[in-house]
């Protein structure tokens, strides 16, 4: 199971804390308000230098949530990919058709939201570009906002497992729910390929990010081979 830390700010210090905790990758943001933390992220011109610093100096793979209604151009994203950006993670209904060929150069991960349907999961996972799978993974961001921060339950696991069963590509789960390390085994049993922990479970500080990331790293490393 891959462990990704969604950073509450585009700061190298936070990425280094995730690395010390054992993360495989970090996710940064631009053109967005981070709902869980209440922090805002600026436009490409403001955030790109910070993103490049994280790519160059964190020692981790780094991905980007590029925005919602306002988005970088394909050329701007190609420049970040040239700098080493490892993946793009964006809601499917915000993902422009012009972005699809970026998936030939980096991992492209569309997210389905709480309005998702089984048919949407299947269709997205099977989309192709130039004869190849358009997406390397789907993010199951399927929790309604009113349930953010509540404990993971059996209904959530059943929904994630259903998405896994219908998808032709691996499923990533973000911590919209308050997921704890003891939940990792159940997520693995449901077929989840990657877990992305964010501020709901890590908190906003480097110390919290390092400590919580380490606890999830230990839980993942303890899964049966």
């Amino acid at each position: 199971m891959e462990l990704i830390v969604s950073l509450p700010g585009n700061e190298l210090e936070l990425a280094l804390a995730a690395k010390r905790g054992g993360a495989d990758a970090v996710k940064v943001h631009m053109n967005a308000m981070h709902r869980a933390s209440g922090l805002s992220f600026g436009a490409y011109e403001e955030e790109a230098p910070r993103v490049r610093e994280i790519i160059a100096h964190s020692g981790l793979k780094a991905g980007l949530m590029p925005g919602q209604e306002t988005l970088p151009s394909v050329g701007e994203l190609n420049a970040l990919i040239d700098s080493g950006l490892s993946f793009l993670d964006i809601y499917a209904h915000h993902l422009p058709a012009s972005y699809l060929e970026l998936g030939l150069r980096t991992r492209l991960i569309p997210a389905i939201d709480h309005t998702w349907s089984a048919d949407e999961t299947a269709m997205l996972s099977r989309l192709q570009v130039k004869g190849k799978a358009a997406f390397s993974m789907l993010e199951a961001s399927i929790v309604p906002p009113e349930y953010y921060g509540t404990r993971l339950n059996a209904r959530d696991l059943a929904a994630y497992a259903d998405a896994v069963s219908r998808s032709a590509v691996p499923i990533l789960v973000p911590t919209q729910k308050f997921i704890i390390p003891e939940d990792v085994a159940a997520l693995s049993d449901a077929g989840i390929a990657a877990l992305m922990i964010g501020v709901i479970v890590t908190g906003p500080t480097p110390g919290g990010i390092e400590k919580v990331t380490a606890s999830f790293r230990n839980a993942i490393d303890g899964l049966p081979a």
Side-chain angles (χ1 to χ4, degrees):
M1 183 184 290
E2 184 177 5
L3 179 61
I4 303 169
V5 177
S6 178
L7 300 179
N10 295 341
E11 305 295 338
L12 178 60
E13 182 182 16
L14 300 178
L16 291 173
K19 178 177 174 58
R20 291 192 298 270
D24 296 305
V26 292
K27 185 175 82 168
V28 295
H29 306 73
M30 60 178 59
N31 298 305
M33 170 66 75
H34 193 271
R35 183 177 289 172
S37 68
L39 298 174
S40 61
F41 296 86
Y44 181 90
E45 294 77 11
E46 178 182 353
E47 302 295 348
R50 298 172 183 171
V51 173
R52 287 193 175 94
E53 183 181 29
I54 289 169
I55 292 169
H57 300 297
S58 70
L60 289 172
K61 294 181 290 184
L64 172 68
M65 197 293 283
Q68 298 177 348
E69 285 77 13
T70 302
L71 292 165
S73 69
V74 169
E76 289 170 333
L77 291 176
N78 269 317
L80 286 179
I81 293 169
D82 289 341
S83 297
L85 191 73
S86 292
F87 63 90
L88 288 168
D89 181 0
I90 179 174
Y91 276 111
H93 58 281
H94 292 145
L95 196 162
S98 59
Y99 276 23
L100 290 176
E101 289 198 18
L102 293 171
L104 300 174
R105 302 195 63 215
T106 194
R107 290 198 295 170
L108 193 56
I109 304 172
I112 51 176
D113 70 2
H114 65 282
T115 66
W116 73 298
S117 70
D119 287 343
E120 179 184 3
T121 304
M123 288 187 297
L124 274 172
S125 72
R126 288 166 174 79
L127 187 64
Q128 293 195 340
V129 175
K130 297 188 182 304
K132 298 181 179 180
F135 307 126
S136 62
M137 191 174 285
L138 295 185
E139 179 181 337
S141 293
I142 58 178
V143 176
E146 61 267 30
Y147 296 114
Y148 282 10
T150 61
R151 286 285 292 115
L152 187 73
N153 58 45
R155 186 180 184 187
D156 301 320
L157 287 169
Y160 293 145
D162 186 61
V164 169
S165 72
R166 298 174 188 276
S167 178
V169 297
I171 295 292
L172 160 68
V173 166
T175 52
Q176 295 173 304
K177 302 300 292 280
F178 188 77
I179 294 173
I180 60 175
E182 289 80 358
D183 296 329
V184 164
L187 289 166
S188 178
D189 287 343
I192 299 307
L195 177 65
M196 183 160 62
I197 59 175
V199 69
I200 284 177
V201 298
T202 65
T205 66
I209 289 171
E210 180 178 353
K211 180 179 179 180
V212 174
T213 302
S215 66
F216 278 95
R217 178 79 272 158
N218 288 337
I220 290 170
D221 289 348
L223 292 171

